[in-house]
Amino acid sequence: MRQASSSGPAAVSKYLLPREIQVATVRQHPAVLLPSGSQALAGLLVAGVLSLTVFRHNHLLLAIIWIAWAVLLLRLIWKAINWAVDYFVITTQRLILTSGVLTRKVAMMPMSKVTDMSFQRSFGGRLLGYGELIVESAGQNQALDRVPYIPYPEQLYLLVCGILFPAGAEEPEQDEL
């Protein structure tokens, strides 16, 4: 996790305002690639077994099987390229999620609009170290409401809470007994 930096990936820096400071910049957890990776691996195993047994003499069916596996592999490569350019950025003023290779999408929410934030971790997320940040704001739906497969969800949650509720903020006075 990249923290407290005025510079970052060029894919992120160009969307920052001059007065903004990057507090943290992370990619989605690599676990986002697991479904596509497991499908490509399973396809390779199936294609290999079918090539060596059932369809060993049928060249047309072998070609179809290996082309289907190549499609699964290309899908995995495309997902990996997308993963490499997608970032979640916490600045002093906004939460920003950039995504997309061919069509760039930038979703953001000003910190002043955040009314509630939580995170959740599935069993797989607890094992592999990722979670989902859930950000809510008053009023209408926002472009940025869920950030899935986020690494270090506890630390990022506390980081955002620290920005929303700074230590120097006024605390209610308590009557002494």
Side-chain angles (χ1 to χ4, degrees):
M1 174 169 61
R2 179 175 296 160
Q3 284 190 335
S5 168
S6 60
S7 67
V12 170
S13 298
K14 63 183 171 185
Y15 300 113
L16 299 181
L17 300 171
R19 64 185 183 277
E20 275 184 304
I21 299 170
Q22 276 182 261
V23 178
T25 301
V26 295
R27 284 189 173 107
Q28 285 185 313
H29 195 277
V32 75
L33 300 173
L34 284 177
S36 299
S38 60
Q39 289 171 356
L41 181 61
L44 177 62
L45 292 174
V46 167
V49 167
L50 291 177
S51 294
L52 294 174
T53 58
V54 179
F55 300 119
R56 133 172 85 188
H57 300 297
N58 190 336
H59 298 294
L60 177 62
L61 286 176
L62 278 177
I64 292 171
I65 289 169
W66 285 104
I67 289 171
W69 177 75
V71 168
L72 290 175
L73 182 63
L74 288 173
R75 181 172 173 256
L76 172 62
I77 292 169
W78 180 251
K79 296 255 184 190
I81 291 169
N82 272 310
W83 171 82
V85 299
D86 294 356
Y87 289 97
F88 176 62
V89 183
I90 299 171
T91 72
T92 52
Q93 298 176 355
R94 301 184 289 168
L95 301 174
I96 304 169
L97 182 63
T98 64
S99 60
V101 175
L102 298 177
T103 302
R104 196 75 177 146
K105 179 180 174 186
V106 180
M108 75 93 184
M109 181 179 292
M111 290 288 192
S112 61
K113 297 284 185 186
V114 176
T115 58
D116 189 23
M117 189 176 81
S118 62
F119 72 91
Q120 63 185 17
R121 294 182 91 173
S122 64
F123 179 69
R126 293 184 73 185
L127 287 176
L128 298 175
Y130 67 87
E132 179 178 38
L133 285 180
I134 302 158
V135 183
E136 295 180 19
S137 68
Q140 69 277 10
N141 289 338
Q142 297 292 322
L144 178 64
D145 58 350
R146 291 183 176 270
V147 185
Y149 290 100
I150 202 76
Y152 324 110
E154 290 95 350
Q155 291 91 335
L156 293 175
Y157 172 80
L158 292 172
L159 196 60
V160 173
C161 286
I163 294 170
L164 292 172
F165 309 108
E170 291 183 31
E171 295 183 20
E173 293 183 25
Q174 295 180 350
D175 293 331
E176 293 184 30
L177 295 176

